[in-house]
Amino acid sequence: MGKINKRKLGGEKELAAAEYLAGRGYRILEHNFFCRAGEIDLIAKEGNYLVFIEVKYRKDGAFGSPEEAVTKRKQRVIAEVARYYLLKNGYPQNTLCRFDVVAIAGQEIHLIINAFEG
């Protein structure tokens, strides 16, 4: 599969994740927030929380589960981008935040709430 096809597939899975989350009461604020440090797939409000969401897709289990792809290194990058987002958008220091993962395996979507600490 070429790079463009992977990017297109990733965009489709992120859109599916956003729709899934919206159906569970999340209000999507950002898609693909980029800064120098990296990217966060989705940023949303859910209840009192500002939620930074990583979306991972695996067609099958050949390369492990989707959530296994959210490595410690990836978690550090997401946390750094989240700090920048908070600062850039003027959120107070006491803003309730968490990091969720939407794992898509084939056609199944699984939400991991508070998947890691930032």
Side-chain angles (χ1 to χ4, degrees):
M1 183 179 291
K3 191 139 188 102
I4 292 176
N5 288 340
K6 283 184 182 180
R7 189 167 289 147
K8 181 180 177 205
L9 180 63
E12 290 171 359
K13 296 307 177 184
E14 287 173 9
L15 184 58
E19 291 172 1
Y20 174 87
L21 293 168
R24 281 153 184 74
Y26 287 62
R27 185 169 51 91
I28 305 299
L29 304 175
E30 302 268 355
H31 289 261
N32 302 111
F33 177 79
F34 283 95
C35 73
R36 183 190 253 159
E39 177 210 359
I40 294 177
D41 295 328
L42 299 168
I43 300 172
K45 282 290 285 183
E46 195 272 326
N48 294 325
Y49 283 87
L50 183 63
V51 187
F52 300 95
I53 303 151
E54 178 69 7
V55 178
K56 284 296 179 190
Y57 167 74
R58 293 290 181 264
K59 178 175 62 175
D60 55 40
F63 295 101
S65 69
E67 54 272 25
E68 288 175 326
V70 185
T71 63
K72 290 289 184 193
R73 181 181 180 284
K74 182 67 175 172
Q75 292 173 21
R76 283 192 300 273
V77 168
I78 293 167
E80 187 174 338
V81 177
R83 282 189 288 279
Y84 175 77
Y85 179 85
L86 291 165
L87 184 66
K88 178 180 183 270
N89 290 286
Y91 282 93
Q93 285 186 329
N94 64 346
T95 300
L96 294 174
C97 298
R98 72 170 193 253
F99 299 92
D100 291 0
V101 171
V102 175
I104 305 174
Q107 297 301 312
E108 290 207 18
I109 299 178
H110 178 67
L111 173 61
I112 304 163
I113 296 172
N114 204 26
F116 60 91
E117 296 295 318

